[in-house]
Amino acid sequence: MKVVGVIAEYNPFHKGHLYHLNKIKKSFKPDAIIVILSGNFVQRGEPAIFDKWARAEMALHGGADLVIELPVCFSTATAEIFAESAVKLLSDTQVVNTLSFGLEEIHYNELLFLGKLLAKEPEHLKTTINECLSKGMSFPAAREKAIIKFILENHKEMNIQLISAMLKKPNFILAVEYVKAINKLGVDLSILPILRKGQDYHNKNLTGEYASASGIRQSFLYTRELNDDIIKYLPLSTQEIIKRRLNNYNVPVFLQDYELILLYMLRRMSSQELRSFFDIEEGLENRIKKAVKNSGSLKQLIAQIKTKRYPETRIQRILIHILLNIPKEMLNSRTSPYVRVLGFSQVGSIILKKIKKKISLPIITRASDYKKLNSYAKSFFEKDLLSSDIYNLAYSNPALRIGSSDFLKKVVYLNPSK
Amino acid sequence: MKVVGVIAEYNPFHKGHLYHLNKIKKSFKPDAIIVILSGNFVQRGEPAIFDKWARAEMALHGGADLVIELPVCFSTATAEIFAESAVKLLSDTQVVNTLSFGLEEIHYNELLFLGKLLAKEPEHLKTTINECLSKGMSFPAAREKAIIKFILENHKEMNIQLISAMLKKPNFILAVEYVKAINKLGVDLSILPILRKGQDYHNKNLTGEYASASGIRQSFLYTRELNDDIIKYLPLSTQEIIKRRLNNYNVPVFLQDYELILLYMLRRMSSQELRSFFDIEEGLENRIKKAVKNSGSLKQLIAQIKTKRYPETRIQRILIHILLNIPKEMLNSRTSPYVRVLGFSQVGSIILKKIKKKISLPIITRASDYKKLNSYAKSFFEKDLLSSDIYNLAYSNPALRIGSSDFLKKVVYLNPSK
């Protein structure tokens, strides 16, 4: 059986994503596609603009067969932890044999080389990274410099210019993290890179046939409605799901919606409490405490904390971990202790039965089943539940703000006969 | 030297308060009036509609000579703790010899009798109170019932009907708490009750010459501006101070402004964490956790928690202690470990010098001086600072939302030559 895994946020699901899934089907003819989806909070350190149920539905309409939620502790962590925990979860299903991802340019050799190199993590490389970090460089810049130095000294056969250029591209970096995780975990996954169509990851201009998700989000941020600038970049199914949400007064959610809570939390917490969160070290806690006293807005806050070493998304990820009360210890394992199903198609339901027979990991299709989990697994699931309860607070309509939505929602089932 | 103490919230300072201070001056001719003022959060379990600096200024214009802040841990506690800590603070200045308060009807004997009785707290009385509480009665109702029973059995000479009627009046209950505290602490303070003018404490109708502060707040809540309904009940000085605030886009603050933060905090906290707050016992923590999952607004939340035993203001006080992160242990001492000065007149500055010579308790006129406090006193002062930092988050203007306002504000000095 050929099952392809895709790790995604679909924030929101657009025509580029649809192209990716269709291309997998055409070129690889898999029996099924399983998507590991970030839940209500995503890796950029933000809430998803639409909740996980809406995005799972978009994915199923776009061609996914089974959508599994990546626990929020991992979906809001660094690219390394995000990639490793998602690859582990895919592999833990014991049915996926290929991982597919999108790339602007496919340089297979460089990708495999870097993935293997970083999985091994030679002492040499580590030392240079730490030296660069101590000079105040950001982690990606420090790592790039260390990699180039290491290659110059040990692998003169590699194309330095190309590697240097690729290490500046977010999708390539993420792909390297996937290959690295596959090597590190020693799991049996082939890779299937697909050439991306349209705009770069960071490009926020809305032109051409395909747009980036961040461009679409940006446009939403200003209008908070499904405007003409966006609509042409979204498949019909996504448009309909979004329209349904907007009709229920369920507006897109942005980090901005948590401004008051975040300023409050940072004022309330002591420096010592702040240190219990991932990536808060070397006095960053004091920098945060000082900044929040001088800030009346989230923008001011981030501007005052930001350094080369602590770029905006890194700070945002810290803010989300504080918002959701995720202590750093929870990032040690990088392994989801359950398979949480958000939705499936008819094919997906068959795959799910196969998975159930193969694995001992608990599969959760109804939130109430989480009570059967052991206390360790429960602690992770409770963060997913809390993240939904906090996510809902962004809505202005009190009826939508109520909690326990994970218990009220049913898994999304895409019935092809309808 | 005759110095009168007044315990107040002045939320806001109105013509009834002005009448009270003028009456003290006329009838008693004191050398000075010292006011113990609630800071940014008050005893009803709410933010004050205007910050402590504005209200201290109102008090000085109204005739107070020295305004001292009651630490927020006590200003937001039960009537008993509020009264006891404020009486202790007045007495700790070592210059106040008389405590004055307003009453709708003055029944001197009944007041003194009840104050003494409750200070002694006979075993009998306690038992009946606990019996009534266990039946689900509110504390005031349980205490009233126990007092009546006790008097019927032991003090047939007292006027039961009158006492029963008076125990339903908030200002009388508060006065009883003052007399009780004086007896319990054994401090040398006479009492000077003044007949109140105008509306009852609870009356929210705005008619007649005097209005209650809650009536004025109610009217503010709807319009958020200094409208014609309110203006006639406020002294000119109060009107001017409010106008100045409103011109700076500094709108009145209400509990409602913390709705999002409160819903968030209650969803984030575990039942166990909730139990660390005052008055959360007997499973109330679970009741709160359940209610916040089913509530999209503060109104829904309070409605779902409320019982006879836990009336609205009691719940609000709990919410404020959670908001300000005040653990129950901080209410054990009921003694302010410092004298925090918010403002003074020329006479007040002379009184302050006298106090400085007499007492060993640290006097704080500049917030930055708090660093000299011992760690115990610091923990209380830091809650006052935090309460200001959180108070400011209610403003929509980011410039007004910044923290550390206690360090930026100077003590209010009323210069009579101006």
Side-chain angles (χ1 to χ4, degrees):
Chain A
M1 201 174 60
K2 292 202 293 187
V3 179
V4 173
V6 171
I7 298 163
E9 306 214 292
Y10 294 154
N11 188 25
F13 187 92
H14 55 60
K15 282 187 178 168
H17 298 128
L18 183 63
Y19 171 85
H20 180 210
L21 296 185
N22 282 337
K23 193 82 185 171
I24 292 173
K25 288 184 179 176
K26 254 195 209 159
S27 66
F28 195 70
K29 307 209 187 310
D31 297 293
I33 296 176
I34 297 184
V35 170
I36 303 290
L37 190 74
S38 294
N40 286 333
F41 290 86
V42 299
Q43 204 264 327
R44 289 171 60 88
E46 284 176 352
I49 61 168
F50 295 104
D51 74 26
K52 58 190 181 189
W53 304 104
R55 283 157 41 244
E57 201 182 340
M58 293 173 193
L60 291 170
H61 278 282
D65 294 299
L66 178 61
V67 182
I68 293 169
E69 181 177 359
L70 184 65
V72 70
C73 300
F74 307 129
S75 74
T76 55
T78 58
E80 184 188 24
I81 296 175
F82 172 85
E84 191 176 322
S85 55
V87 166
K88 181 78 169 70
L89 187 49
L90 269 181
S91 141
D92 280 347
T93 63
Q94 295 195 29
V95 296
V96 177
N97 28 47
T98 305
L99 170 65
S100 181
F101 44 80
L103 280 177
E104 285 89 4
E105 296 171 44
I106 296 179
H107 302 285
Y108 212 83
N109 285 341
E110 287 69 20
L111 189 59
L112 292 183
F113 171 82
L114 286 171
K116 275 182 198 161
L117 174 67
L118 293 175
K120 263 190 266 165
E121 218 189 8
E123 209 45 56
H124 251 68
L125 194 75
K126 246 197 213 164
T127 315
T128 322
I129 293 177
N130 287 331
E131 273 171 26
C132 293
L133 286 177
S134 69
K135 284 179 197 151
M137 269 188 183
S138 74
F139 182 77
R143 193 169 68 169
E144 187 194 325
K145 195 161 178 187
I147 288 171
I148 300 299
K149 186 167 174 260
F150 186 86
I151 292 176
L152 276 171
E153 286 167 5
N154 304 286
H155 292 276
K156 291 204 174 120
E157 77 281 10
M158 298 303 295
N159 182 341
I160 291 281
Q161 251 109 24
L162 178 63
I163 286 180
S164 175
M166 292 319 292
L167 281 174
K168 289 182 177 66
K169 293 187 178 284
N171 282 308
F172 186 81
I173 293 174
L174 205 53
V176 168
E177 289 296 346
Y178 294 146
V179 180
K180 174 181 148 191
I182 290 170
N183 280 288
K184 199 176 150 193
L185 297 167
V187 295
D188 192 19
L189 281 179
S190 314
I191 60 166
L192 175 64
I194 303 274
L195 205 60
R196 280 167 61 95
K197 286 273 176 179
Q199 305 289 336
D200 262 12
Y201 185 86
H202 279 319
N203 196 323
K204 287 179 182 162
N205 296 328
L206 293 172
T207 52
E209 196 187 344
Y210 296 90
S212 72
S214 59
I216 295 169
R217 287 196 302 274
Q218 189 78 4
S219 177
F220 254 125
L221 177 58
Y222 292 117
T223 64
R224 298 217 166 200
E225 59 180 27
L226 198 59
N227 56 65
D228 290 344
D229 286 346
I230 305 174
I231 211 157
K232 58 179 176 243
Y233 300 110
L234 302 174
L236 261 179
S237 51
T238 296
Q239 290 177 31
E240 274 164 20
I241 292 162
I242 292 177
K243 269 184 203 157
R244 220 191 308 137
R245 297 273 152 170
L246 297 179
N247 282 342
N248 296 332
Y249 306 100
N250 210 338
V251 293
V253 174
F254 291 96
L255 186 61
Q256 189 57 32
D257 297 321
Y258 301 96
E259 175 171 273
L260 190 62
I261 293 177
L262 283 168
L263 292 174
Y264 166 74
M265 236 16 250
L266 297 180
R267 286 185 184 179
R268 188 187 205 271
M269 278 186 166
S270 66
S271 299
Q272 205 186 330
E273 285 172 291
L274 283 175
R275 272 198 301 272
S276 67
F277 294 94
F278 188 79
D279 243 359
I280 302 193
E281 51 201 12
E282 304 162 351
L284 181 61
E285 66 277 14
N286 301 321
R287 197 174 165 83
I288 293 174
K289 284 299 290 180
K290 201 180 155 195
V292 76
K293 289 208 171 172
N294 295 322
S295 303
S297 72
L298 208 51
K299 213 175 147 185
Q300 286 174 0
L301 178 79
I302 293 172
Q304 285 184 49
I305 302 173
K306 205 159 86 171
T307 62
K308 263 190 198 163
R309 176 75 193 267
Y310 292 100
E312 196 159 334
T313 43
R314 189 164 171 186
I315 296 166
Q316 287 187 182
R317 275 196 290 272
I318 289 174
L319 293 180
I320 294 296
H321 276 210
I322 291 169
L323 181 74
L324 305 180
N325 199 13
I326 298 171
K328 61 179 159 198
E329 291 77 30
M330 292 190 84
L331 305 181
N332 290 343
S333 79
R334 306 178 182 192
T335 299
S336 175
Y338 46 79
V339 176
R340 168 81 192 276
V341 177
L342 293 178
F344 48 76
S345 66
Q346 216 165 23
V347 171
S349 77
I350 297 163
I351 295 289
L352 198 56
K353 275 176 203 143
K354 280 200 203 299
I355 296 176
K356 270 184 192 160
K357 277 185 199 155
K358 282 196 171 197
I359 70 172
S360 58
L361 209 61
I363 296 173
I364 298 183
T365 45
R366 276 180 315 186
S368 55
D369 288 342
Y370 100 95
K371 284 176 185 157
K372 296 176 199 159
L373 295 177
N374 65 36
S375 66
Y376 175 77
K378 236 181 214 164
S379 69
F380 281 83
F381 201 85
E382 280 166 353
K383 291 297 175 199
D384 293 339
L385 295 174
L386 177 66
S387 80
S388 295
D389 285 356
I390 291 174
Y391 187 84
N392 295 353
L393 289 177
Y395 302 131
S396 53
N397 179 353
L400 298 172
R401 271 188 184 176
I402 64 158
S404 303
S405 52
D406 275 27
F407 294 95
L408 305 171
K409 288 260 187 183
K410 272 187 194 162
V411 63
V412 186
Y413 177 56
L414 195 72
N415 192 340
S417 68
K418 272 195 184 171
Chain B
M1 201 174 58
K2 293 202 292 187
V3 179
V4 173
V6 171
I7 298 163
E9 306 213 295
Y10 296 154
N11 188 25
F13 188 92
H14 55 59
K15 282 186 178 167
H17 297 128
L18 183 64
Y19 171 84
H20 180 212
L21 296 185
N22 282 338
K23 193 82 185 171
I24 293 172
K25 287 184 181 177
K26 254 195 208 159
S27 65
F28 196 71
K29 306 207 188 312
D31 296 292
I33 296 176
I34 296 184
V35 170
I36 304 291
L37 191 74
S38 293
N40 286 333
F41 290 86
V42 299
Q43 204 265 327
R44 289 172 61 87
E46 284 175 352
I49 60 168
F50 295 104
D51 75 24
K52 59 190 181 188
W53 304 104
R55 284 157 41 244
E57 201 182 339
M58 293 173 193
L60 292 170
H61 278 282
D65 294 298
L66 178 60
V67 182
I68 293 169
E69 182 177 358
L70 185 64
V72 71
C73 300
F74 307 129
S75 74
T76 55
T78 58
E80 184 188 26
I81 296 176
F82 172 85
E84 191 177 323
S85 56
V87 166
K88 181 78 168 71
L89 187 49
L90 270 181
S91 140
D92 280 348
T93 63
Q94 295 195 28
V95 296
V96 177
N97 28 47
T98 305
L99 170 64
S100 182
F101 44 79
L103 279 177
E104 285 90 3
E105 296 171 41
I106 296 179
H107 301 286
Y108 212 83
N109 285 341
E110 287 70 19
L111 189 59
L112 292 183
F113 171 81
L114 287 172
K116 274 182 198 162
L117 174 67
L118 294 176
K120 262 189 265 165
E121 218 188 7
E123 209 46 55
H124 252 68
L125 194 75
K126 248 196 213 164
T127 316
T128 321
I129 293 177
N130 287 332
E131 273 170 24
C132 293
L133 286 178
S134 69
K135 284 179 198 150
M137 269 190 184
S138 74
F139 182 78
R143 193 169 69 169
E144 188 194 324
K145 195 161 176 184
I147 289 170
I148 300 298
K149 186 168 175 258
F150 186 88
I151 292 176
L152 276 171
E153 286 166 6
N154 304 286
H155 293 275
K156 291 203 175 120
E157 77 280 11
M158 299 303 296
N159 182 341
I160 291 279
Q161 251 109 21
L162 179 62
I163 287 180
S164 175
M166 293 319 291
L167 281 174
K168 288 183 178 66
K169 292 186 180 283
N171 282 309
F172 187 81
I173 293 173
L174 205 53
V176 168
E177 290 295 346
Y178 293 145
V179 180
K180 173 181 150 190
I182 291 170
N183 280 287
K184 199 176 152 194
L185 297 168
V187 295
D188 191 18
L189 281 181
S190 315
I191 60 166
L192 175 64
I194 303 274
L195 204 60
R196 280 166 60 96
K197 286 274 177 178
Q199 306 290 336
D200 261 13
Y201 185 86
H202 279 319
N203 196 323
K204 287 179 182 163
N205 296 329
L206 292 172
T207 52
E209 196 186 346
Y210 296 90
S212 73
S214 59
I216 295 169
R217 286 196 301 274
Q218 188 77 5
S219 177
F220 254 123
L221 177 59
Y222 292 118
T223 63
R224 299 218 166 200
E225 60 179 26
L226 198 58
N227 56 66
D228 290 345
D229 286 346
I230 305 174
I231 210 156
K232 58 179 176 242
Y233 300 109
L234 303 174
L236 261 179
S237 51
T238 296
Q239 290 176 31
E240 275 164 21
I241 293 162
I242 292 177
K243 270 183 203 156
R244 220 191 306 136
R245 297 273 152 170
L246 297 180
N247 282 342
N248 295 332
Y249 307 100
N250 210 339
V251 294
V253 174
F254 291 95
L255 187 60
Q256 190 56 34
D257 298 321
Y258 301 95
E259 175 170 273
L260 190 61
I261 293 177
L262 283 168
L263 292 173
Y264 166 73
M265 236 15 251
L266 297 179
R267 286 185 184 179
R268 188 187 204 273
M269 277 185 166
S270 66
S271 298
Q272 205 186 330
E273 285 171 291
L274 283 174
R275 272 199 300 274
S276 67
F277 294 94
F278 188 80
D279 243 358
I280 301 193
E281 52 202 14
E282 304 161 351
L284 181 60
E285 66 277 14
N286 301 322
R287 198 175 165 81
I288 293 174
K289 284 300 289 179
K290 200 179 155 195
V292 76
K293 289 208 170 171
N294 296 321
S295 303
S297 72
L298 208 51
K299 213 175 146 184
Q300 286 173 358
L301 177 80
I302 293 172
Q304 285 183 49
I305 302 173
K306 206 160 87 170
T307 62
K308 263 192 197 163
R309 177 75 193 268
Y310 292 99
E312 196 159 335
T313 43
R314 189 165 171 185
I315 296 166
Q316 287 187 183
R317 276 195 289 272
I318 288 174
L319 293 180
I320 294 296
H321 276 210
I322 291 170
L323 181 75
L324 305 180
N325 199 12
I326 298 171
K328 60 179 159 200
E329 291 78 29
M330 292 190 84
L331 304 181
N332 290 341
S333 79
R334 305 178 182 192
T335 300
S336 175
Y338 46 78
V339 175
R340 169 81 191 274
V341 177
L342 293 178
F344 48 76
S345 67
Q346 215 165 23
V347 171
S349 77
I350 298 164
I351 296 289
L352 197 57
K353 275 176 202 144
K354 280 199 204 299
I355 295 176
K356 269 184 192 161
K357 276 185 200 153
K358 282 195 170 196
I359 71 172
S360 59
L361 208 62
I363 296 173
I364 298 184
T365 44
R366 277 180 314 186
S368 56
D369 288 343
Y370 100 95
K371 284 177 185 157
K372 296 175 198 157
L373 295 177
N374 64 37
S375 66
Y376 175 78
K378 238 180 214 165
S379 69
F380 281 83
F381 201 85
E382 280 166 352
K383 291 298 175 199
D384 293 339
L385 295 174
L386 177 66
S387 79
S388 296
D389 285 357
I390 291 174
Y391 187 83
N392 295 354
L393 290 177
Y395 301 131
S396 52
N397 179 353
L400 298 172
R401 271 188 184 177
I402 64 159
S404 303
S405 53
D406 275 28
F407 294 95
L408 305 170
K409 288 262 187 182
K410 272 187 194 161
V411 62
V412 186
Y413 176 56
L414 195 72
N415 191 341
S417 69
K418 272 193 184 171

